[in-house]
């Protein structure tokens, strides 16, 4: 079984793979992804800060409503006619006022704490908003740079694709199916040489003696049980 044509095909296909890899690992691609993630992270943070601010505002409203109710109760006690009250009743009203005043102080402190927290949240929101703007701007810059680089390489990639398409016509169907199957599993290169005395030229692992025997007996290609690549023996 001749494998010269598929090896030549693989050689050309690896040029395309190298070109695609150069694009994916380019500085513009790395920075584009970095600023894309940074923008998303900032937007997620802004969402959380906004939710925190809304919760704080709701708590302030609840506490202010409670304060209003306490003040109303205190006014009712203070404005009531206590002339007919005995000492026990007066003591009761005094204790009620003390409790209401204590609760009023607690609520005011809580409102003050929430206001401080809200102020800090607003400050964080402003800084994060500015950061999101910078990240978004950089993302657009590097996306444009990446697209320009992609456009530059697309011409060369198109030529390689056309060459591969022509070569496919002369390939053994069974061998080409094997090639596509291994390639789909992200194994590159697909066809690798047998390294004497007993190793796979792809993963470097030792292969079983029965596979070595088959490679030596004229069955020129065998699948590596470790990495799944196709081992070939030209000898």
């Amino acid at each position: 079984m001749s494998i010269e044509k598929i090896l030549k095909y693989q050689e050309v296909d690896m040029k395309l793979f190298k070109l695609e890899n150069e694009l994916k690992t380019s500085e513009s691609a790395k920075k584009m992804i970095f600023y894309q993630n940074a923008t998303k992270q900032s937007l997620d943070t802004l969402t959380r800060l906004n939710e925190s601010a809304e919760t704080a505002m709701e708590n302030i409203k609840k506490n202010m409503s409670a304060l209003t109710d306490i003040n109303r109760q205190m006014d009712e006690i203070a404005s009531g006619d206590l002339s007919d009250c005995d000492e026990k009743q007066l003591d009761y009203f005094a204790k009620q006022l003390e409790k209401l005043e204590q609760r009023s102080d607690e609520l005011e402190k809580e409102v003050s704490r929430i206001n401080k927290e809200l102020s800090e949240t607003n400050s964080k929101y402003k800084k994060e908003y500015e950061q999101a703007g910078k990240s978004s701007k950089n993302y657009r810059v590097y996306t444009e740079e990446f697209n320009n680089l992609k456009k530059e390489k697309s011409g060369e990639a198109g030529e390689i694709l056309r060459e591969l398409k022509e070569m496919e016509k002369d390939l053994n169907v069974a061998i080409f199916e094997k090639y596509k199957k291994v390639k789909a599993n992200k194994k590159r290169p697909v066809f690798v040489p047998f390294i004497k005395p007993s190793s796979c030229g792809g993963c470097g692992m030792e292969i079983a003696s029965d596979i070595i025997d088959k490679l030596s007996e004229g069955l020129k290609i065998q699948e590596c049980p470790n990495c799944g690549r196709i081992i070939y023996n030209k000898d």
Side-chain angles (χ1 to χ4, degrees):
M1 182 185 290
S2 174
I3 60 169
E4 294 300 325
K5 288 182 179 179
I6 193 66
L7 291 179
K8 183 62 180 175
Y9 179 90
Q10 176 172 261
E11 183 181 332
V12 178
D13 194 23
M14 286 300 292
K15 291 180 182 178
L16 182 62
F17 175 72
K18 183 181 178 182
L19 199 66
E20 291 171 345
N21 199 49
E22 285 174 355
L23 183 63
K24 289 177 183 177
T25 58
S26 65
E27 280 302 307
S28 57
K30 290 177 183 177
K31 289 179 178 178
M32 178 183 70
I33 293 170
F34 174 82
Y35 285 113
Q36 182 184 38
N37 291 333
T39 302
K40 183 181 181 302
Q41 186 176 343
S42 287
L43 291 176
D44 288 343
T45 300
L46 287 172
T47 299
R48 289 196 300 272
L49 289 171
N50 190 57
E51 290 172 351
S52 178
E54 288 178 354
T55 300
M57 289 300 297
E58 284 299 316
N59 287 333
I60 286 175
K61 287 179 182 179
K62 288 177 183 178
N63 287 325
M64 291 304 294
S65 177
L67 270 171
T68 300
D69 187 55
I70 287 172
N71 288 330
R72 179 185 57 75
Q73 293 179 56
M74 291 172 69
D75 286 343
E76 286 178 358
I77 293 173
S79 62
D81 185 4
L82 304 178
S83 59
D84 294 331
C85 293
D86 58 26
E87 187 176 340
K88 187 176 181 179
Q89 289 174 320
L90 289 172
D91 184 57
Y92 169 78
F93 286 126
K95 287 180 178 179
Q96 286 298 105
L97 280 172
E98 185 179 351
K99 287 181 181 178
L100 289 170
E101 285 174 355
Q102 184 179 349
R103 181 57 182 153
S104 178
D105 288 342
E106 290 173 357
L107 288 170
E108 285 177 357
K109 287 177 182 177
E110 181 64 8
V111 169
S112 178
R113 184 194 67 78
I114 295 172
N115 273 325
K116 183 180 178 182
E117 183 182 285
L118 186 58
S119 178
E120 291 172 355
T121 299
N122 288 337
S123 179
K124 289 178 183 177
Y125 188 95
K126 183 179 178 181
K127 289 179 181 178
E128 198 64 48
Y129 185 83
E130 290 173 356
Q131 184 59 48
K134 291 176 183 177
S135 295
S136 180
K137 181 180 178 181
N138 284 327
Y139 171 65
R140 291 193 298 272
V141 168
Y142 288 111
T143 296
E144 184 178 357
E145 189 176 293
F146 174 79
N147 287 334
N148 288 337
L149 181 61
K150 185 178 180 180
K151 189 176 181 180
E152 286 177 18
K153 293 184 178 293
S154 63
E156 186 178 350
E159 290 179 11
I160 295 173
L161 284 169
R162 284 189 289 273
E163 185 178 357
L164 289 172
K165 202 68 178 175
E166 282 299 313
M167 296 176 78
E168 286 176 16
K169 298 174 183 177
D170 299 324
L171 296 177
N172 177 284
V173 175
I175 291 179
F176 188 44
E177 286 302 314
K178 285 179 178 289
Y179 183 90
K180 288 191 291 184
K181 183 180 177 181
V182 177
K183 180 181 173 181
N185 290 326
K186 311 296 182 184
K187 303 290 186 180
R188 307 296 289 267
V190 173
F191 278 75
V192 293
F194 169 57
I195 307 298
K196 292 183 178 181
S198 59
S199 299
C200 167
C203 63
M205 295 293 289
E206 274 196 29
I207 53 178
S209 57
D210 61 324
I211 296 178
I212 296 173
D213 291 341
K214 289 176 181 178
L215 285 168
S216 303
E217 289 169 2
L219 300 173
K220 297 297 184 181
I221 61 172
Q222 293 293 316
E223 184 177 324
C224 174
N226 182 61
C227 68
R229 293 181 175 88
I230 308 300
I231 305 172
Y232 67 86
N233 184 15
K234 279 192 171 184
D235 296 342

